[in-house]
Amino acid sequence: MSAEDRVLTLIRDQGGPQTTQMVAAQLHLSRSVTSHYLNRLADQGLLVKNDERPVQWRLATNETAEQQTDGFRQFVGATGSLRDIIDQCTAAVHYPPNGLNILITGDSGVGKSFLAQQIYEYAQANKVIEADAPYIVLNCADYANNPELLSSILFGYVRGAYTGAETDHDGLLAQADGGYLFLDEVHRLSSENQEKLFTFMDTSRFFRMGENQQSRHATVRLIFATTEDPEQVMLGTFRRRIAVTVHLPNFSARPVDERLTLLTALFHQEAKVLQRPVVVTGAVLSILVHCRHQGNIGYLKNWIRRGCASGFKDQAKQPVIRLTAHDFGLTGQKTLDNWTDITIEPTAAVQQQTTDTLDQAWQHFTTAVAGMKAPADWEYQSLMTQLQTMVPSVPAWEAAHPLHGPHAYWFHSILQQQFGLAVDATLESLLFALYRRRMVLPAAQRADWGAAIRHHYPRAAHVAAAFYQHLEALTPASQESLQACLTLLLHDYVDETIQLKGMMIAHGERTATSIQAVVNQLCGTYVFDAIDMPINTGVAAVIEKAQRSIDALDTSEGFILLVDMGSLSQLYTALRPHLDGDLMVVNNLTTVTALDLALKMKQHLPFKEIAEAAEQYTIETQYYTGFSQSPNILISCISGLGISEKISEIMKQYVPAPIKVLPVDYAQMKRKLTDAEQANYFDQTLFVLTTNDLPANSSVPFLNIYDLLEQEGTKQFTDWLRPYVEPGRLQQLNEELLRFFSIEGVSERLSFLNPDIVIKEVEGVITKYEAAYHMTLDGKVKLNLYMHVALMLERLLVRRNVAVPAVHPSPAEAEFIQLSRGIFRPLELKYNIRVDDYELSLMFEVYKPYMTV
């Protein structure tokens, strides 16, 4: 039990009001720490203080304080990353007179049903609804293919409403009166049922099927859940009746400590089933906690059950079941071996241990920080000392926590090895204890104070940032606070007087960082940074990663870059704009070269002197300047790289590997076209696809992207690619590009249907018409038809039973309508619509100019 919970429990057990001193004396806490906890509990609405002297504290309401505290205790993240979501849900429960309807969105297995159950139980515990109020669950997907049956289940029916309805029957709305109705997979409700339901949400009245005279009343709190985007699958009029929408993130998006707690809870359920302790090895935890399966927690639950079954089968007679990677089918998978094993007892849930001693020490530290405005050097030293004195306060059991293994691993790997710092290992235990508790500095000082530390100790701050980049942030505020604390603790180990910055970049899994570790350790301090690049990485990727790293450094005194391969000129040109000082690029990365440079940097030799001495080990190379050494096709859109990248991704699927399809910046490409000295950039370019015509004097073939919608443009595009791509594949490429343009346009106009799905369905319709009438439609005509048919389907889906003009077709038109009946039949069945003769006659007018009968 945490110290804060102990304070609340004490006041609850005493029954009457308590002073701060009374609570402090009974719990053996300092008065300042006790006051801090009491005020936090008051901020949470759990305690109330009076205006008497001395101040006295009592429960907000003696009847419900415990229930409010326990309301969402089982919902992992309720006081962490999902706190805002829980706050919205509790606000919806309490809103007068009958609460607010809630929509829960999220992928499969994230806990939507569990949250709905928790909301209901919270409402019960807080006496918002009666203790015996109903809670009814309906999965709309079970009846998606029979909307009338679903309507009868929801609203009820009267005798004779349909064949087989021999008696009156109440629906779920009537059965849920006074309680909650949870509709899962609500996107599977038909539009008619959505309309009926939003009428009920407005009026609390409804009609049973077959009943149109006497409406019925029910007070029902509604919770909905869906795995889909509500904007795409629910009527706007329906969505607007739902006041509160919350989104549950995927398992992989949750903070790592919450993921670990969820896994522990799942293993605890199985331990209770097996009735014996379960040991989960660190290798298993490492893999499961980083699981990204689309099934989320639901998938993990079944996976864990299978793993426990495998372990039990082999160890049925053992007093403890030890679960290894073998039991989960994970042998051979790469893991971080430093994760700590955990033991889960079946008789009691794992308790989260805390320590008052460390809490008090941290409280003193944050109080000191809160009093600082513009800290002087001696004050920084005082804070460093305070941090170091916390080390004895860290309890021994911290080392057994599963997250401690990775933390200790990266502490050793990054700080002690990679940056070569002789950091006292005892500081690691303190940093971990603060990390696990999500310790946060006072908000008012956090940003300014942290910025001041980074200004005073920039190199130490850079090392601290590199360390925490390898640890998953539990909260942004906590990570920022921890980084500031580590910067202070590293001050004695980092030489802040080194002015030059240096970086190594090499291809290979640990080539650069291995040399960095050797050089920094031999120098006894942090001198060089390093970036490891995959073997198949080109110069462009190296430049991009180097630019990001350089932007985070102060390079005003000069920057030295060591690389194992690449163009000196190209690197220099690309990186120079990102620097505030001089740049030297050396393409001879060896341990000897790097150490020689590092020692000169540590000796504070001037940049010019180091650069002149570097001639002895720099190797000049020949380099090729251009977009690609292979034949290439350039895609360039004036609106930016977004569209260019999408089109290039489509083309790469069809163009053979030797030909590179490259998205390029339009302004950059135009400059190179007009610069005679850079004309060789286009030596290997087959043609350019662009949204804007190239200069008239350009020698590079080009085609406007939107000309692909015309027959002439399609022919030119096909002629250029015909030597490289088979005819059938060329046709597929043209169709996919057309589909891309269609989806971009149609998606802006559809408000209900999913454009990606509809376009594929419409494409099938058009193909059947082309085959029936032996026609070949160009891109612009198809784009028009995509738009017309997609919007027609949505119009018919949303607006039913609308009067349409009578049609008097000619023989050719009548034949077209008859053919269309068969073509549209699958879509009519899928969407439960009917394409009337008037709509088909309109479509006939679109097709008529291209028909050959």
Side-chain angles (χ1 to χ4, degrees), residues 192-210:
E192 291 94 342
N193 280 328
Q194 289 185 44
E195 290 172 353
K196 291 180 182 179
L197 203 52
F198 75 62
T199 300
F200 170 74
M201 287 189 277
D202 283 345
T203 64
S204 296
R205 305 197 71 85
F206 63 96
F207 288 97
R208 293 189 295 186
M209 283 186 65

Side-chain angles (χ1 to χ4, degrees), residues 520-573:
N520 284 338
Q521 288 178 53
L522 289 175
C523 290
T525 190
Y526 154 48
V527 182
F528 267 106
D529 286 289
I531 298 175
D532 294 315
M533 303 294 292
I535 293 294
N536 58 352
T537 301
V539 175
V542 172
I543 289 172
E544 181 184 356
K545 195 161 187 178
Q547 286 173 341
R548 290 200 304 268
S549 300
I550 290 170
D551 289 340
L553 299 172
D554 176 9
T555 57
S556 57
E557 298 297 328
F559 187 77
I560 298 175
L561 177 65
L562 284 81
V563 296
D564 61 343
M565 62 182 78
S567 162
L568 296 179
S569 175
Q570 198 170 350
L571 286 168
Y572 185 93
T573 302

Side-chain angles (χ1 to χ4, degrees), residues 140 475 592:
C140 300
T475 70
V592 174

Side-chain angles (χ1 to χ4, degrees), residues 1-48:
M1 181 183 295
S2 69
E4 186 172 297
D5 286 341
R6 289 169 56 201
V7 170
L8 182 62
T9 301
L10 173 69
I11 294 179
R12 181 187 299 123
D13 292 343
Q14 293 297 323
Q18 300 285 304
T19 66
T20 303
Q21 188 59 45
M22 291 166 63
V23 176
Q26 294 176 80
L27 296 179
H28 306 289
L29 299 174
S30 69
R31 192 180 188 284
S32 61
V33 170
T34 304
S35 177
H36 170 71
Y37 289 138
L38 290 167
N39 280 289
R40 278 178 51 173
L41 290 166
D43 291 341
Q44 296 171 37
L46 301 174
L47 295 182
V48 175

